[in-house]
Amino acid sequence: MNRPAIPQHSVPATPRRLALACAALFAAASTATAASAELASPAVLEPQAPAGGTADAAPMDQVTVVGSRARNRTVFDSTVPIDRFGAREVGNALASGDVGAALQNLSPSINFPRIESSGASDSVRGIQLRGLAPDQVLVLVNGKRRHASALLDTESSFAGTVPVDINAIPANAIGHIEILRDGAGAQYGSDAVAGVINIVLKKARSGGAASVGYGANHTDFQPTGRTLTDGRTRTASADYGVALGEAGYLRFGAETRRRSPTERAGPSDAAWTSWNATPADMALDGQVLFKSGDAKQDNGSAFYNALLPLAPGVDAYSFATLNKRKSDGSAWFRFPGDPANVPAIYPNGYRPVTHGDKTDASLVAGLRFERGAWRLDLSARQGSDKFEYGLSNSVNASLGAQSPTSFHLAGFRFRQGALNLDATRELALGLPAPLSVALGAEYLRETYRSSAGDAASYAAGPFTDAPPGAQAGPGLRPADTFDGGRHVVSVYADAESELTARLLVGAAARYSDYSDFGSASTGKLSARYKLADDFLLRGAVSNSFRAPALAQTGFRFATLNFNADGSGLQTAALLPAADPLARAFGAQQLKPEKSTNVSLGLAWRPAAATSATLDAYRIRIRDRITRSSDLQSGAVTAYLAAQGRQDIQSVAFLANLLDTSTRGVDAVLNHELPAAGGKLNLSAALNVNKTTLESVRRSSDALAKIDPGLSLLADTSLFRIRHASPKSKLILGADWQGGAWGVQAKATRFGALKDFVFDEEAPLVDGVNAQHFGAAWSVDLEAQFKLNRQLTLSAGGNNIFDRYPERVRQTNAATYGGALPYNFINPLGVNGAYFYGKLTYTF
């Protein structure tokens, strides 16, 4: 088994070190308690919702859990920009059931790119905050860190990242969502580079709800001239609350969602697309052979959220989520005459179907209590993500007619367990407000393991003129599996107070020690100054870090992808940086990404029903981890053959190759007014951002020995980092409620972007043949009608005007012989309009 090396300068973390950290924390608490004769406050560390209510306060007056550990800090008073989306807003955004899609619907700072026909990435999609990578945003649930996915993204615009699978959180469990749009590594640790998303679970003490829903895409698809109805989605969910004592609660529920696939591929030009244009290949000319669109998915989820008062000032709490998901994706079509085909098995060619079987579970339990003047929170959490990857309708052509057609390719499992101790209090120091102090310590243990596929999935059979291994694979070999783990010990301190009646200042510091790469220290200073009671300036400067995920240090897999000029497909191996073959091409041990974040903004509330915010930011990231280019050439092929690796044609690995800078502006406007006998809330939110490359490390001495003409990062690899995310996003919303009726309308404008195309006649942009894709609008509409006090009917649509992104240049090279008429990276997606209905019963 391969295990990550432990640097000599690093001191391994142990439970004993956590005990020492906790002892130091309690010593500091005792000293501070003796120095102050002041304090009496409840032991609740987060605001509690009314017993049965879900009503939200005015948007700028809402209390936030994330961003500040001071009690009763509101969104308006915060030193950094925070969005809070209540139960009604979240519920309206969850039409499709995807939490990631809901976040994109809610916030202009978030995008949820759709990947299709990309193997395992059909199963897990990450979100982007402020145009950065999916693993550069931290996700919390009830203020506790959420574990990452076991699956490394191999083929999206941010290949090499390991996102949190946010869609594994049950949609019907969500009470409200908070988004901190600022670097927060000093407060929350690794990954909080772009910001933090905190998902707060429902906690109502009584009552419940059950709902059933149905939706489908209905679209006029121009590339085939057909009207399509697909993507049929059936949902059912229920949740219920039980009172525990006078203030406790148990909220639990479950949901199921089944979605059929969508198909948005165009007819193929067989003469261009097939390998050698045999008569059997040409018989398929003009047919839709490839797959583009959403994968088939079956989802089942369950959750609970509980608080149990044990004694005055002592509360036990626990919450858990479980998600089971099966996804069927698609790989490239193999024509009958393709060398990867066995005509005796597939006389008419075949398109492999990928299968992802995913289990995601999380459990948190803790105790909140008082010790003197301190409010303490002692908690333990365990999270795991398991992914089994398989294939059907495939073949290992090197085995000939004896090949199986279904394969298990690999298994990946990530586990994360932690113990946390957090302590907060207020100190009276003669300031206009008490000094809010927070101290904390954490011990974290992570493990990552991969398992091999079936022997037939990676075998090199007797037919040497055919590619070895399963098509859309090959599977993971036993010699290439990984079994590793690490320990992390962290301590932090956080303080915040109003130094004057108008000036609020906050400071935070954190120290983390990782057993596999050493230590990291982060800090943050923030301030808010009230020019008037309803007009304030705010700003922050901080540094954060993102530790390499265990999956990034141990993940390996092979995928079928385009060769250098897009004229054909080849097997590309993604190797761990520690692999000897990767080292031969210049790979080095991964280092943590380090970032600095500067923000400056203002918030204005000219009236009780009106608020406006404007925030500018700059995020500089050093040693950014990215996937190298697929290193391929005649010299590489010869070198791989000499190493006995004829099964692959190119090599790639993860490395710290980039320094980037992202600059942007967020603007949010809300206004509420009476209208038509009800209440109308109008909103407008805008994000504008741009990422530039400050430094790129393209060469290595090792690579130069194999082929001096190759670069670790080709222009195409860099292109998407700079251009593949919209430079702007605007959301205009209107929400009216009156009597038995409710209506919401939302228009979203995704700004222009660029992507490379395999078309030598396309314009050159930054040295790459590329296409500019103009801005795209999407309009969503939903209406609710209360049939009676308990029964509500909802109906609506997303993208109701059936808009698509701008089409790819209509050439065979750009569309892969007409098969892929749309570029998949546009957040608008390629599915067209989606219409749905839902019936909800409350009790």
Side-chain angles (χ1 to χ4, degrees):
M1 296 293 186
N2 299 320
R3 296 183 181 272
I6 299 178
Q8 295 298 314
H9 67 273
S10 175
V11 181
T14 65
R16 179 176 178 272
R17 297 183 64 202
L18 176 64
L20 292 174
C22 293
L25 175 65
F26 275 108
S30 300
T31 302
T33 303
S36 173
E38 177 79 30
L39 183 76
S41 59
V44 178
L45 298 185
E46 65 178 80
Q48 300 297 314
T54 59
D56 298 312
M60 298 294 284
D61 290 327
Q62 295 165 330
V63 175
T64 178
V65 177
V66 74
S68 172
R69 290 184 170 88
R71 292 180 301 149
N72 301 322
R73 179 68 61 213
T74 67
V75 171
F76 184 76
D77 284 335
S78 176
T79 59
V80 291
I82 298 172
D83 301 317
R84 187 183 189 278
F85 301 102
R88 177 179 170 82
E89 294 170 285
V90 173
N92 291 340
L94 281 167
S96 68
D98 280 343
V99 177
L103 285 166
Q104 175 173 267
N105 187 285
L106 290 167
S107 172
S109 302
I110 291 179
N111 282 318
F112 183 57
R114 295 178 176 271
I115 312 300
E116 53 264 337
S117 298
S118 58
S121 295
D122 278 322
S123 299
V124 180
R125 292 172 174 168
I127 57 172
Q128 294 176 255
L129 180 62
R130 288 182 160 178
L132 296 183
D135 56 4
Q136 290 168 337
V137 54
L138 175 64
V139 177
L140 308 176
V141 176
N142 282 356
K144 305 295 183 181
R145 176 182 288 269
R146 180 80 177 183
H147 60 275
S149 167
L151 198 61
L152 183 138
D153 183 356
T154 60
E155 298 177 82
S156 77
S157 300
F158 295 95
T161 60
V162 185
V164 171
D165 184 5
I166 204 158
N167 287 330
I169 300 171
N172 73 325
I174 300 174
H176 70 269
I177 296 175
E178 301 168 342
I179 302 175
L180 166 63
R181 292 178 278 117
D182 196 67
Q187 296 163 293
Y188 300 104
S190 177
D191 306 346
V193 175
V196 179
I197 296 173
N198 183 35
I199 295 178
V200 181
L201 305 182
K202 293 177 179 177
K203 59 182 69 174
R205 289 162 39 86
S206 63
S211 68
V212 293
Y214 177 82
N217 294 98
H218 185 74
T219 182
D220 291 325
F221 190 58
Q222 294 182 3
T224 59
R226 297 176 58 197
T227 298
L228 303 175
T229 300
D230 55 12
R232 294 173 177 84
T233 303
R234 299 167 178 85
T235 61
S237 65
D239 63 275
Y240 187 69
V242 178
L244 301 179
E246 294 185 0
Y249 56 84
L250 170 62
R251 194 81 187 183
F252 59 93
E255 70 174 14
T256 179
R257 176 166 52 91
R258 304 188 68 179
R259 183 187 70 197
S260 63
T262 60
E263 173 60 281
R264 299 295 180 269
S268 292
D269 182 340
W272 189 92
T273 309
S274 70
W275 182 267
N276 50 18
T278 67
D281 294 352
M282 296 308 298
L284 300 175
D285 186 49
Q287 296 186 27
V288 176
L289 304 172
F290 290 76
K291 172 75 167 63
S292 178
D294 282 348
K296 175 186 176 183
Q297 277 194 1
D298 288 344
N299 262 281
S301 300
F303 81 96
Y304 76 81
N305 188 25
L307 177 74
L308 177 64
L310 300 178
V314 181
D315 295 328
Y317 66 90
S318 180
F319 57 91
T321 65
L322 173 67
N323 176 254
K324 295 276 291 182
R325 180 188 312 153
K326 291 187 176 182
S327 303
D328 291 346
S330 292
W332 297 99
F333 181 80
R334 275 68 169 174
F335 279 85
D338 194 300
N341 185 33
V342 178
I345 300 177
Y346 298 112
N348 297 314
Y350 65 101
R351 185 177 68 200
V353 178
T354 61
H355 301 287
D357 190 345
K358 194 170 187 297
T359 302
D360 186 285
S362 175
L363 172 65
V364 177
L367 193 67
R368 295 175 182 147
F369 58 97
E370 296 177 0
R371 178 171 177 175
W374 291 87
R375 299 180 302 276
L376 295 110
D377 183 343
L378 179 64
S379 66
R381 70 177 189 272
Q382 180 71 39
S384 68
D385 190 84
K386 182 180 179 182
F387 186 84
E388 298 292 337
Y389 191 28
L391 274 175
S392 64
N393 200 49
S394 183
V395 70
N396 181 340
S398 72
L399 297 176
Q402 302 305 312
S403 171
T405 58
S406 296
F407 306 86
H408 175 251
L409 296 181
F412 305 97
R413 182 159 190 171
F414 175 71
R415 288 181 174 176
Q416 184 184 83
L419 296 172
N420 286 83
L421 178 62
D422 302 289
T424 63
R425 66 160 295 166
E426 284 80 40
L427 293 170
L429 302 178
L431 299 171
L435 176 69
S436 297
V437 177
L439 302 172
E442 177 183 72
Y443 171 76
L444 183 144
R445 164 76 174 166
E446 295 180 332
T447 60
Y448 183 75
R449 178 180 296 177
S450 60
S451 57
D454 301 332
S457 73
Y458 55 81
F463 296 92
T464 57
D465 57 341
Q471 285 298 298
L476 193 64
R477 303 182 305 177
D480 294 332
T481 58
F482 177 85
D483 187 358
R486 68 180 175 200
H487 307 268
V488 187
V489 167
S490 302
V491 292
Y492 76 86
D494 195 344
E496 183 177 280
S497 185
E498 295 187 32
L499 301 184
T500 71
R502 295 187 178 276
L503 177 63
L504 171 68
V505 175
R510 189 179 191 96
Y511 174 81
S512 300
D513 185 63
Y514 284 72
S515 62
D516 55 348
F517 73 78
S519 61
S521 299
T522 55
K524 182 171 185 175
L525 292 173
S526 59
R528 179 265 291 153
Y529 185 77
K530 287 188 176 181
L531 298 173
D533 288 342
D534 292 316
F535 188 84
L536 58 86
L537 297 176
R538 60 192 182 194
V541 58
S542 64
N543 70 309
S544 299
F545 74 101
R546 197 194 71 77
L550 277 181
Q552 290 179 312
T553 65
F555 184 92
R556 76 168 69 223
F557 205 66
T559 57
L560 195 73
N561 214 329
F562 288 108
N563 58 15
D565 61 6
S567 61
L569 300 171
Q570 64 181 18
T571 301
L574 176 63
L575 305 175
D579 184 274
L581 187 58
R583 290 294 176 98
F585 280 81
Q588 298 180 358
Q589 181 178 351
L590 293 176
K591 299 182 292 185
E593 300 176 345
K594 298 178 180 179
S595 64
T596 56
N597 191 309
V598 178
S599 63
L600 181 64
L602 59 86
W604 181 38
R605 187 168 49 193
T610 306
S611 64
T613 64
L614 180 67
D615 295 275
Y617 58 90
R618 185 190 68 182
I619 306 169
R620 300 183 66 182
I621 306 175
R622 289 179 292 131
D623 294 326
R624 189 164 171 171
I625 297 172
T626 188
R627 186 186 193 273
S628 74
S629 299
D630 289 325
L631 304 175
Q632 54 187 312
S633 67
V636 169
T637 300
Y639 179 83
L640 291 173
Q643 304 303 311
R645 295 303 306 268
Q646 294 90 344
D647 57 320
I648 57 177
Q649 290 79 52
S650 72
V651 167
F653 48 85
L654 304 184
N656 301 92
L657 298 176
L658 296 175
D659 298 340
T660 65
S661 178
T662 300
R663 293 175 172 85
V665 174
D666 291 322
V668 181
L669 175 65
N670 285 284
H671 180 64
E672 191 175 278
L673 70 158
K679 182 174 64 175
L680 176 64
N681 182 273
L682 301 174
S683 62
L686 172 70
N687 172 261
V688 179
N689 77 83
K690 180 180 181 181
T691 295
T692 57
L693 303 178
E694 293 193 343
S695 176
V696 180
R697 291 170 281 284
R698 293 178 181 261
S699 62
S700 73
D701 293 339
L703 180 60
K705 293 179 181 179
I706 297 174
D707 188 340
L710 286 180
S711 171
L712 288 174
L713 275 177
D715 290 333
T716 52
S717 299
L718 299 170
F719 193 88
R720 280 184 169 167
I721 293 174
R722 289 180 286 186
H723 300 295
S725 298
K727 297 296 185 290
S728 65
K729 182 182 170 186
L730 173 66
I731 300 177
L732 303 175
D735 182 353
W736 178 82
Q737 302 176 62
W741 283 92
V743 179
Q744 298 80 42
K746 184 170 292 184
T748 302
R749 180 186 184 273
F750 299 99
L753 52 82
K754 300 183 183 74
D755 197 15
F756 63 81
V757 291
F758 291 115
D759 184 350
E760 294 181 354
E761 297 181 359
L764 284 174
V765 180
D766 294 334
V768 175
N769 295 113
Q771 181 173 346
H772 175 275
F773 297 93
W777 282 90
S778 176
V779 176
D780 305 337
L781 182 66
E782 179 176 308
Q784 306 94 31
F785 178 68
K786 293 183 178 180
L787 302 173
N788 55 45
R789 292 184 60 184
Q790 294 178 298
L791 203 58
T792 301
L793 177 65
S794 305
N798 294 341
N799 191 13
I800 60 174
F801 294 116
D802 199 23
R803 299 298 186 190
Y804 278 80
E806 185 177 341
R807 288 183 65 169
V808 174
R809 290 167 57 90
Q810 297 301 290
T811 65
N812 275 330
T815 64
Y816 199 69
L820 305 176
Y822 293 101
N823 188 297
F824 70 83
I825 67 171
N826 197 302
L828 176 63
V830 297
N831 289 321
Y834 178 82
F835 299 99
Y836 60 89
K838 184 171 70 172
L839 190 65
T840 303
Y841 179 77
T842 57
F843 51 92

Short mmCIF file of all heavy atoms in Angstrom, two decimals, residues 35 60 122 169 241 290 361 394 432 475 510 531 535 594 626 679 691 717 747 749 792:
data_model
loop_
_atom_site.label_atom_id
_atom_site.label_comp_id
_atom_site.label_asym_id
_atom_site.label_seq_id
_atom_site.Cartn_x
_atom_site.Cartn_y
_atom_site.Cartn_z
N ALA A 35 -10.04 37.35 36.28
CA ALA A 35 -9.74 38.75 36.03
C ALA A 35 -10.98 39.58 35.85
O ALA A 35 -10.92 40.81 35.88
CB ALA A 35 -8.87 38.88 34.78
N MET A 60 -31.86 42.64 6.61
CA MET A 60 -30.63 43.15 7.21
C MET A 60 -30.62 43.03 8.72
O MET A 60 -29.61 43.31 9.36
CB MET A 60 -30.44 44.62 6.80
CG MET A 60 -30.28 44.82 5.30
SD MET A 60 -28.77 44.09 4.66
CE MET A 60 -27.57 45.29 5.23
N ASP A 122 -20.22 13.01 -13.45
CA ASP A 122 -21.67 13.04 -13.59
C ASP A 122 -22.34 12.87 -12.23
O ASP A 122 -23.51 13.23 -12.06
CB ASP A 122 -22.15 11.92 -14.52
CG ASP A 122 -22.01 12.30 -15.98
OD1 ASP A 122 -22.27 13.46 -16.31
OD2 ASP A 122 -21.66 11.43 -16.79
N ILE A 169 -26.68 16.79 1.11
CA ILE A 169 -27.45 17.33 2.23
C ILE A 169 -28.93 17.30 1.84
O ILE A 169 -29.31 17.87 0.82
CB ILE A 169 -27.00 18.76 2.56
CG1 ILE A 169 -25.51 18.76 2.93
CG2 ILE A 169 -27.84 19.34 3.69
CD1 ILE A 169 -24.92 20.14 3.06
N GLY A 241 -41.59 17.46 13.63
CA GLY A 241 -40.92 17.95 14.82
C GLY A 241 -41.60 17.48 16.09
O GLY A 241 -42.83 17.43 16.18
N PHE A 290 -24.04 10.09 -29.47
CA PHE A 290 -23.35 10.49 -28.26
C PHE A 290 -24.37 10.97 -27.22
O PHE A 290 -25.58 10.99 -27.46
CB PHE A 290 -22.33 11.59 -28.56
CG PHE A 290 -21.15 11.08 -29.34
CD1 PHE A 290 -21.25 10.81 -30.70
CD2 PHE A 290 -19.93 10.86 -28.73
CE1 PHE A 290 -20.17 10.34 -31.43
CE2 PHE A 290 -18.84 10.39 -29.44
CZ PHE A 290 -18.96 10.12 -30.79
N ALA A 361 -22.55 10.00 4.65
CA ALA A 361 -23.15 10.03 5.98
C ALA A 361 -22.39 10.98 6.88
O ALA A 361 -21.16 11.12 6.77
CB ALA A 361 -23.17 8.63 6.59
N SER A 394 -20.06 -2.01 -21.98
CA SER A 394 -18.68 -1.71 -22.35
C SER A 394 -17.98 -3.01 -22.73
O SER A 394 -18.60 -4.08 -22.80
CB SER A 394 -17.98 -1.01 -21.18
OG SER A 394 -16.66 -0.65 -21.53
N PRO A 432 -17.85 50.57 25.03
CA PRO A 432 -19.30 50.74 24.81
C PRO A 432 -20.06 49.42 24.79
O PRO A 432 -21.26 49.40 25.05
CB PRO A 432 -19.35 51.45 23.45
CG PRO A 432 -18.06 52.16 23.34
CD PRO A 432 -17.05 51.29 24.02
N GLY A 475 -9.99 0.09 -15.29
CA GLY A 475 -10.12 0.01 -13.85
C GLY A 475 -8.80 0.23 -13.12
O GLY A 475 -7.72 0.22 -13.70
N ARG A 510 -5.40 31.64 14.05
CA ARG A 510 -5.54 30.19 14.09
C ARG A 510 -4.20 29.54 13.76
O ARG A 510 -3.46 30.02 12.89
CB ARG A 510 -6.60 29.72 13.09
CG ARG A 510 -6.98 28.24 13.21
CD ARG A 510 -8.05 27.87 12.20
NE ARG A 510 -8.61 26.56 12.46
CZ ARG A 510 -9.73 26.34 13.14
NH1 ARG A 510 -10.42 27.37 13.63
NH2 ARG A 510 -10.17 25.12 13.35
N LEU A 531 -21.01 55.47 9.91
CA LEU A 531 -21.07 56.89 9.61
C LEU A 531 -22.38 57.48 10.11
O LEU A 531 -22.46 58.65 10.46
CB LEU A 531 -20.93 57.11 8.11
CG LEU A 531 -19.60 56.63 7.50
CD1 LEU A 531 -19.65 56.75 5.99
CD2 LEU A 531 -18.44 57.42 8.08
N PHE A 535 -25.94 53.66 8.06
CA PHE A 535 -24.97 53.69 6.96
C PHE A 535 -23.60 53.36 7.55
O PHE A 535 -23.12 54.06 8.46
CB PHE A 535 -24.94 55.06 6.29
CG PHE A 535 -24.09 55.09 5.04
CD1 PHE A 535 -24.63 54.68 3.84
CD2 PHE A 535 -22.78 55.51 5.08
CE1 PHE A 535 -23.86 54.69 2.68
CE2 PHE A 535 -22.00 55.53 3.93
CZ PHE A 535 -22.54 55.11 2.73
N LYS A 594 -1.96 29.02 -0.28
CA LYS A 594 -1.99 30.13 0.67
C LYS A 594 -2.61 31.34 -0.01
O LYS A 594 -2.31 31.64 -1.16
CB LYS A 594 -0.58 30.45 1.18
CG LYS A 594 0.07 29.29 1.93
CD LYS A 594 1.49 29.63 2.38
CE LYS A 594 2.11 28.45 3.13
NZ LYS A 594 3.50 28.74 3.57
N THR A 626 -3.37 22.54 -9.19
CA THR A 626 -4.13 22.31 -10.41
C THR A 626 -3.61 21.06 -11.10
O THR A 626 -2.52 20.57 -10.82
CB THR A 626 -4.03 23.53 -11.35
OG1 THR A 626 -4.93 23.36 -12.44
CG2 THR A 626 -2.63 23.67 -11.91
N LYS A 679 -47.79 41.73 0.29
CA LYS A 679 -46.45 42.26 0.52
C LYS A 679 -45.55 41.83 -0.63
O LYS A 679 -45.52 40.66 -1.00
CB LYS A 679 -45.91 41.73 1.85
CG LYS A 679 -44.54 42.25 2.22
CD LYS A 679 -44.14 41.79 3.63
CE LYS A 679 -44.01 40.28 3.70
NZ LYS A 679 -43.53 39.83 5.02
N THR A 691 -10.39 36.76 -12.82
CA THR A 691 -9.20 36.07 -12.32
C THR A 691 -8.06 36.24 -13.31
O THR A 691 -8.23 36.03 -14.52
CB THR A 691 -9.47 34.57 -12.10
OG1 THR A 691 -10.43 34.42 -11.05
CG2 THR A 691 -8.21 33.83 -11.72
N SER A 717 -4.93 24.48 -20.69
CA SER A 717 -5.16 24.20 -19.28
C SER A 717 -5.36 25.49 -18.50
O SER A 717 -6.12 25.53 -17.53
CB SER A 717 -3.98 23.41 -18.69
OG SER A 717 -3.83 22.18 -19.35
N ALA A 747 -35.25 36.63 -12.59
CA ALA A 747 -34.52 36.67 -13.86
C ALA A 747 -33.03 36.68 -13.54
O ALA A 747 -32.56 37.51 -12.76
CB ALA A 747 -34.90 37.89 -14.67
N ARG A 749 -29.14 36.73 -15.17
CA ARG A 749 -28.28 36.95 -16.34
C ARG A 749 -26.89 36.42 -16.03
O ARG A 749 -26.19 36.92 -15.14
CB ARG A 749 -28.19 38.44 -16.68
CG ARG A 749 -27.32 38.74 -17.90
CD ARG A 749 -27.16 40.24 -18.09
NE ARG A 749 -26.42 40.58 -19.30
CZ ARG A 749 -25.09 40.67 -19.37
NH1 ARG A 749 -24.35 40.44 -18.28
NH2 ARG A 749 -24.51 41.01 -20.51
N THR A 792 -51.24 23.05 0.20
CA THR A 792 -50.75 24.09 -0.71
C THR A 792 -50.31 23.46 -2.02
O THR A 792 -49.57 22.47 -2.04
CB THR A 792 -49.56 24.85 -0.09
OG1 THR A 792 -49.96 25.45 1.14
CG2 THR A 792 -49.08 25.95 -1.03
#
